[in-house]
Amino acid sequence: MYRLLIASALALASLPALAEPAQRFPFGEPAPAAKATRTVEVLLKDIAFEPKSLQVKAGETVRFVLVNEGQLPHEFNLGTKAMHEEHQKEMVAMQGKLYSAAGGHQGMDHGQMAGHAQGAEQAGGHAHGGGNTVLVMPGQRAELTWTFRTSAPIEFACNVPGHYQAGMVGPLTIE
């Protein structure tokens, strides 16, 4: 019952974000997988990415295949350091709302916070509103396809609370 309450609260909290169209960022925008000129597999482990850094070319459309080999839910999020900081605040706020909605139950973990992602998409992930993030449950695969427009200092990161701070972040160089 508790997990159902958590999943329902997360589903409701994510509806406005899902209704928004994918947006364009200074460094690029989401793209259909069919437009990809290259595929890159990224392993999400506890608590690390493999590879630890990525390189792309301006104008290139890359299909990221994300495989969560860890025991925790993880995000793959493209953005600047400031964008990651903002997204982390949103993730912590969502976690706090879930705690309140659950009646103050103890023992909230990342699996409960991210439970809404289970079954959200056939690829095993849950896309957030901007198109630059996907949440991948343990043992699942997901995809994110992106067209990189211009050189910018960006990172790929997991913004599940505490993961970025534990080192689950890497540089993405756009040449």
Side-chain angles (χ1 to χ4, degrees):
M1 179 69 172
Y2 177 68
R3 288 187 186 264
L4 180 59
L5 179 61
I6 297 298
S8 298
L10 274 165
L12 288 173
S14 65
L15 283 177
L18 293 175
E20 297 172 12
Q23 62 191 60
R24 192 176 175 132
F25 295 89
F27 54 88
E29 69 273 341
K35 300 267 183 189
T37 55
R38 180 166 62 118
T39 298
V40 174
E41 184 175 85
V42 179
L43 304 179
L44 291 70
K45 301 178 176 238
D46 295 332
I47 295 267
F49 287 108
E50 195 176 292
K52 295 183 184 315
S53 64
L54 297 167
Q55 293 184 336
V56 299
K57 295 186 184 320
E60 183 176 31
T61 300
V62 179
R63 179 177 148 250
F64 295 100
V65 175
L66 312 162
V67 181
N68 187 343
E69 293 184 342
Q71 299 299 308
L72 303 170
H74 292 297
E75 270 191 342
F76 180 81
N77 182 286
L78 299 174
T80 63
K81 187 172 188 69
M83 289 170 68
H84 291 302
E85 288 172 3
E86 192 60 34
H87 188 65
Q88 289 163 28
K89 290 176 190 173
E90 293 169 2
M91 294 288 283
V92 168
M94 184 178 2
Q95 186 177 28
K97 287 178 187 173
L98 292 174
Y99 181 79
S100 298
H105 289 288
Q106 298 291 326
M108 171 98 39
D109 66 16
H110 292 143
Q112 291 166 331
M113 182 189 77
H116 72 294
Q118 292 179 348
E121 295 182 6
Q122 287 184 343
H126 173 77
H128 289 51
N132 65 324
T133 283
V134 65
L135 181 66
V136 189
M137 298 306 291
Q140 299 293 309
R141 298 170 63 91
E143 293 185 11
L144 186 146
T145 305
W146 195 266
T147 299
F148 294 91
R149 292 289 172 207
T150 184
S151 181
I154 68 169
E155 303 171 323
F156 58 100
C158 178
N159 291 306
V160 169
H163 293 200
Y164 184 99
Q165 293 76 8
M168 200 164 179
V169 57
L172 191 148
T173 304
I174 306 169
E175 300 171 342

Short mmCIF file of all heavy atoms in Angstrom, two decimals, residues 41-52 65-76 123-124 135-142 158 163 168:
data_model
loop_
_atom_site.label_atom_id
_atom_site.label_comp_id
_atom_site.label_asym_id
_atom_site.label_seq_id
_atom_site.Cartn_x
_atom_site.Cartn_y
_atom_site.Cartn_z
N GLU A 41 27.08 3.52 -25.60
CA GLU A 41 26.53 2.83 -24.43
C GLU A 41 27.18 3.40 -23.18
O GLU A 41 28.39 3.57 -23.11
CB GLU A 41 26.79 1.33 -24.51
CG GLU A 41 26.14 0.58 -23.35
CD GLU A 41 26.29 -0.92 -23.48
OE1 GLU A 41 27.34 -1.44 -23.05
OE2 GLU A 41 25.36 -1.56 -24.00
N VAL A 42 26.34 3.72 -22.20
CA VAL A 42 26.81 4.25 -20.92
C VAL A 42 26.28 3.33 -19.83
O VAL A 42 25.07 3.09 -19.74
CB VAL A 42 26.33 5.70 -20.68
CG1 VAL A 42 26.81 6.22 -19.33
CG2 VAL A 42 26.79 6.62 -21.80
N LEU A 43 27.18 2.81 -19.01
CA LEU A 43 26.80 1.96 -17.89
C LEU A 43 26.64 2.82 -16.65
O LEU A 43 27.50 3.65 -16.34
CB LEU A 43 27.86 0.88 -17.65
CG LEU A 43 28.18 -0.02 -18.84
CD1 LEU A 43 29.26 -1.04 -18.47
CD2 LEU A 43 26.93 -0.72 -19.36
N LEU A 44 25.53 2.64 -15.95
CA LEU A 44 25.25 3.34 -14.70
C LEU A 44 25.47 2.33 -13.59
O LEU A 44 24.79 1.30 -13.52
CB LEU A 44 23.82 3.86 -14.70
CG LEU A 44 23.49 5.00 -15.67
CD1 LEU A 44 23.49 4.55 -17.11
CD2 LEU A 44 22.18 5.62 -15.32
N LYS A 45 26.48 2.60 -12.78
CA LYS A 45 26.85 1.69 -11.69
C LYS A 45 26.62 2.41 -10.37
O LYS A 45 26.30 3.58 -10.35
CB LYS A 45 28.31 1.27 -11.85
CG LYS A 45 28.58 0.58 -13.17
CD LYS A 45 30.04 0.22 -13.33
CE LYS A 45 30.22 -0.55 -14.61
NZ LYS A 45 30.79 -1.85 -14.41
N ASP A 46 26.82 1.71 -9.27
CA ASP A 46 26.70 2.35 -7.96
C ASP A 46 28.10 2.72 -7.47
O ASP A 46 28.84 1.84 -7.08
CB ASP A 46 26.03 1.42 -6.95
CG ASP A 46 24.58 1.11 -7.30
OD1 ASP A 46 23.93 1.93 -7.96
OD2 ASP A 46 24.12 0.04 -6.91
N ILE A 47 28.51 3.88 -7.41
CA ILE A 47 28.01 5.17 -7.86
C ILE A 47 29.02 5.69 -8.90
O ILE A 47 29.94 6.40 -8.53
CB ILE A 47 27.90 6.16 -6.68
CG1 ILE A 47 26.88 5.72 -5.65
CG2 ILE A 47 27.76 7.57 -7.13
CD1 ILE A 47 25.46 6.24 -5.75
N ALA A 48 28.86 5.36 -10.15
CA ALA A 48 29.79 5.77 -11.19
C ALA A 48 29.16 5.55 -12.57
O ALA A 48 28.22 4.79 -12.72
CB ALA A 48 31.08 4.95 -11.10
N PHE A 49 29.73 6.28 -13.53
CA PHE A 49 29.40 6.07 -14.93
C PHE A 49 30.58 5.39 -15.61
O PHE A 49 31.73 5.61 -15.23
CB PHE A 49 29.18 7.41 -15.66
CG PHE A 49 27.89 8.09 -15.32
CD1 PHE A 49 27.89 9.23 -14.54
CD2 PHE A 49 26.68 7.63 -15.80
CE1 PHE A 49 26.72 9.90 -14.24
CE2 PHE A 49 25.50 8.28 -15.51
CZ PHE A 49 25.52 9.42 -14.72
N GLU A 50 30.30 4.60 -16.61
CA GLU A 50 31.35 4.04 -17.46
C GLU A 50 30.89 4.21 -18.90
O GLU A 50 29.84 3.67 -19.26
CB GLU A 50 31.52 2.55 -17.13
CG GLU A 50 32.80 1.95 -17.67
CD GLU A 50 32.95 0.51 -17.23
OE1 GLU A 50 33.15 0.27 -16.04
OE2 GLU A 50 32.84 -0.37 -18.11
N PRO A 51 31.57 5.01 -19.70
CA PRO A 51 32.85 5.67 -19.44
C PRO A 51 32.70 6.86 -18.48
O PRO A 51 31.60 7.35 -18.25
CB PRO A 51 33.29 6.14 -20.83
CG PRO A 51 32.03 6.32 -21.58
CD PRO A 51 31.06 5.30 -21.05
N LYS A 52 33.83 7.33 -17.99
CA LYS A 52 33.86 8.43 -17.03
C LYS A 52 33.77 9.80 -17.70
O LYS A 52 33.48 10.79 -17.04
CB LYS A 52 35.13 8.36 -16.19
CG LYS A 52 35.20 7.12 -15.31
CD LYS A 52 36.44 7.13 -14.45
CE LYS A 52 36.62 5.89 -13.63
NZ LYS A 52 35.49 5.36 -12.95
N VAL A 65 22.62 4.80 -25.09
CA VAL A 65 21.95 3.61 -24.56
C VAL A 65 22.44 3.48 -23.13
O VAL A 65 23.64 3.31 -22.89
CB VAL A 65 22.26 2.36 -25.39
CG1 VAL A 65 21.65 1.12 -24.75
CG2 VAL A 65 21.77 2.53 -26.83
N LEU A 66 21.54 3.58 -22.19
CA LEU A 66 21.86 3.64 -20.77
C LEU A 66 21.48 2.32 -20.11
O LEU A 66 20.33 1.88 -20.21
CB LEU A 66 21.10 4.79 -20.13
CG LEU A 66 21.23 6.10 -20.93
CD1 LEU A 66 20.16 7.08 -20.56
CD2 LEU A 66 22.61 6.67 -20.78
N VAL A 67 22.43 1.70 -19.45
CA VAL A 67 22.21 0.41 -18.81
C VAL A 67 22.52 0.56 -17.32
O VAL A 67 23.66 0.83 -16.95
CB VAL A 67 23.11 -0.69 -19.43
CG1 VAL A 67 22.84 -2.04 -18.77
CG2 VAL A 67 22.90 -0.77 -20.94
N ASN A 68 21.50 0.40 -16.48
CA ASN A 68 21.70 0.52 -15.03
C ASN A 68 22.11 -0.84 -14.48
O ASN A 68 21.29 -1.73 -14.31
CB ASN A 68 20.43 1.03 -14.34
CG ASN A 68 20.67 1.32 -12.88
OD1 ASN A 68 21.65 0.89 -12.28
ND2 ASN A 68 19.75 2.07 -12.28
N GLU A 69 23.40 -0.99 -14.22
CA GLU A 69 23.94 -2.22 -13.64
C GLU A 69 24.00 -2.15 -12.12
O GLU A 69 24.47 -3.09 -11.48
CB GLU A 69 25.35 -2.49 -14.20
CG GLU A 69 25.36 -2.81 -15.66
CD GLU A 69 26.75 -3.17 -16.17
OE1 GLU A 69 27.76 -2.86 -15.50
OE2 GLU A 69 26.81 -3.76 -17.26
N GLY A 70 23.55 -1.05 -11.55
CA GLY A 70 23.62 -0.86 -10.10
C GLY A 70 22.39 -1.40 -9.39
O GLY A 70 21.49 -1.97 -10.00
N GLN A 71 22.37 -1.19 -8.09
CA GLN A 71 21.27 -1.62 -7.24
C GLN A 71 20.30 -0.47 -6.93
O GLN A 71 19.29 -0.69 -6.28
CB GLN A 71 21.82 -2.19 -5.93
CG GLN A 71 22.73 -3.39 -6.12
CD GLN A 71 22.01 -4.55 -6.78
OE1 GLN A 71 20.95 -4.97 -6.33
NE2 GLN A 71 22.57 -5.06 -7.87
N LEU A 72 20.64 0.73 -7.39
CA LEU A 72 19.83 1.92 -7.12
C LEU A 72 19.32 2.51 -8.42
O LEU A 72 19.93 2.35 -9.47
CB LEU A 72 20.69 2.98 -6.42
CG LEU A 72 21.35 2.59 -5.11
CD1 LEU A 72 22.36 3.65 -4.68
CD2 LEU A 72 20.30 2.38 -4.03
N PRO A 73 18.21 3.26 -8.38
CA PRO A 73 17.79 4.02 -9.56
C PRO A 73 18.83 5.11 -9.83
O PRO A 73 19.41 5.67 -8.90
CB PRO A 73 16.47 4.65 -9.15
CG PRO A 73 16.13 4.12 -7.82
CD PRO A 73 17.32 3.44 -7.25
N HIS A 74 19.05 5.39 -11.11
CA HIS A 74 20.00 6.44 -11.50
C HIS A 74 19.43 7.26 -12.64
O HIS A 74 18.64 6.78 -13.43
CB HIS A 74 21.34 5.83 -11.95
CG HIS A 74 22.11 5.18 -10.85
ND1 HIS A 74 22.59 5.87 -9.77
CD2 HIS A 74 22.46 3.89 -10.67
CE1 HIS A 74 23.22 5.04 -8.96
NE2 HIS A 74 23.15 3.82 -9.48
N GLU A 75 19.90 8.50 -12.71
CA GLU A 75 19.55 9.39 -13.82
C GLU A 75 20.74 9.52 -14.75
O GLU A 75 21.88 9.40 -14.33
CB GLU A 75 19.29 10.81 -13.30
CG GLU A 75 17.92 11.12 -12.92
CD GLU A 75 17.74 12.62 -12.68
OE1 GLU A 75 18.72 13.37 -12.49
OE2 GLU A 75 16.59 13.04 -12.70
N PHE A 76 20.43 9.82 -16.00
CA PHE A 76 21.42 10.30 -16.95
C PHE A 76 20.88 11.64 -17.38
O PHE A 76 19.81 11.72 -17.99
CB PHE A 76 21.55 9.34 -18.14
CG PHE A 76 22.58 9.79 -19.16
CD1 PHE A 76 23.93 9.55 -18.96
CD2 PHE A 76 22.17 10.45 -20.31
CE1 PHE A 76 24.87 9.96 -19.89
CE2 PHE A 76 23.11 10.86 -21.26
CZ PHE A 76 24.46 10.61 -21.04
N ALA A 123 11.40 1.19 -22.58
CA ALA A 123 12.86 1.14 -22.51
C ALA A 123 13.37 1.07 -21.08
O ALA A 123 14.56 1.02 -20.85
CB ALA A 123 13.48 2.34 -23.23
N GLY A 124 12.46 1.09 -20.10
CA GLY A 124 12.89 0.97 -18.72
C GLY A 124 13.23 2.28 -18.06
O GLY A 124 13.73 2.29 -16.95
N LEU A 135 15.47 8.69 -16.15
CA LEU A 135 15.68 7.95 -14.91
C LEU A 135 15.60 6.47 -15.25
O LEU A 135 14.67 6.03 -15.90
CB LEU A 135 14.59 8.32 -13.90
CG LEU A 135 14.65 7.67 -12.53
CD1 LEU A 135 15.89 8.14 -11.77
CD2 LEU A 135 13.40 8.01 -11.75
N VAL A 136 16.61 5.71 -14.82
CA VAL A 136 16.71 4.29 -15.17
C VAL A 136 16.72 3.46 -13.89
O VAL A 136 17.58 3.64 -13.03
CB VAL A 136 17.97 4.00 -16.01
CG1 VAL A 136 17.93 2.58 -16.54
CG2 VAL A 136 18.11 4.99 -17.16
N MET A 137 15.78 2.54 -13.80
CA MET A 137 15.68 1.68 -12.62
C MET A 137 16.76 0.59 -12.68
O MET A 137 17.25 0.25 -13.75
CB MET A 137 14.28 1.06 -12.56
CG MET A 137 13.16 2.09 -12.43
SD MET A 137 13.37 3.23 -11.04
CE MET A 137 13.13 2.09 -9.68
N PRO A 138 17.09 0.00 -11.51
CA PRO A 138 18.11 -1.07 -11.48
C PRO A 138 17.75 -2.21 -12.44
O PRO A 138 16.60 -2.63 -12.53
CB PRO A 138 18.06 -1.56 -10.03
CG PRO A 138 17.52 -0.41 -9.26
CD PRO A 138 16.56 0.29 -10.19
N GLY A 139 18.76 -2.65 -13.20
CA GLY A 139 18.56 -3.76 -14.14
C GLY A 139 17.85 -3.38 -15.42
O GLY A 139 17.64 -4.24 -16.28
N GLN A 140 17.52 -2.11 -15.60
CA GLN A 140 16.78 -1.66 -16.79
C GLN A 140 17.70 -0.94 -17.78
O GLN A 140 18.82 -0.56 -17.45
CB GLN A 140 15.64 -0.72 -16.38
CG GLN A 140 14.61 -1.37 -15.48
CD GLN A 140 13.84 -2.46 -16.19
OE1 GLN A 140 13.31 -2.26 -17.27
NE2 GLN A 140 13.79 -3.64 -15.58
N ARG A 141 17.18 -0.77 -18.99
CA ARG A 141 17.86 -0.02 -20.05
C ARG A 141 16.95 1.12 -20.47
O ARG A 141 15.73 0.99 -20.39
CB ARG A 141 18.10 -0.92 -21.27
CG ARG A 141 18.99 -2.10 -21.03
CD ARG A 141 18.99 -3.06 -22.21
NE ARG A 141 19.52 -2.48 -23.43
CZ ARG A 141 20.80 -2.53 -23.79
NH1 ARG A 141 21.66 -3.17 -23.04
NH2 ARG A 141 21.22 -1.97 -24.89
N ALA A 142 17.54 2.18 -20.94
CA ALA A 142 16.77 3.31 -21.47
C ALA A 142 17.62 3.99 -22.53
O ALA A 142 18.80 3.67 -22.70
CB ALA A 142 16.39 4.28 -20.35
N CYS A 158 24.10 12.07 -12.55
CA CYS A 158 22.96 11.48 -11.87
C CYS A 158 22.59 12.45 -10.75
O CYS A 158 23.41 12.75 -9.89
CB CYS A 158 23.29 10.11 -11.29
SG CYS A 158 21.90 9.39 -10.39
N HIS A 163 23.81 11.37 -5.22
CA HIS A 163 24.63 10.66 -6.21
C HIS A 163 25.66 11.58 -6.87
O HIS A 163 26.82 11.19 -7.03
CB HIS A 163 23.75 9.98 -7.25
CG HIS A 163 22.93 8.85 -6.69
ND1 HIS A 163 22.40 7.88 -7.48
CD2 HIS A 163 22.57 8.54 -5.42
CE1 HIS A 163 21.73 7.02 -6.72
NE2 HIS A 163 21.81 7.42 -5.46
N MET A 168 29.00 10.82 -9.05
CA MET A 168 28.35 10.27 -10.24
C MET A 168 28.08 11.40 -11.23
O MET A 168 26.95 11.81 -11.48
CB MET A 168 27.05 9.54 -9.88
CG MET A 168 26.62 8.58 -10.97
SD MET A 168 25.41 7.42 -10.37
CE MET A 168 25.14 6.52 -11.90
#
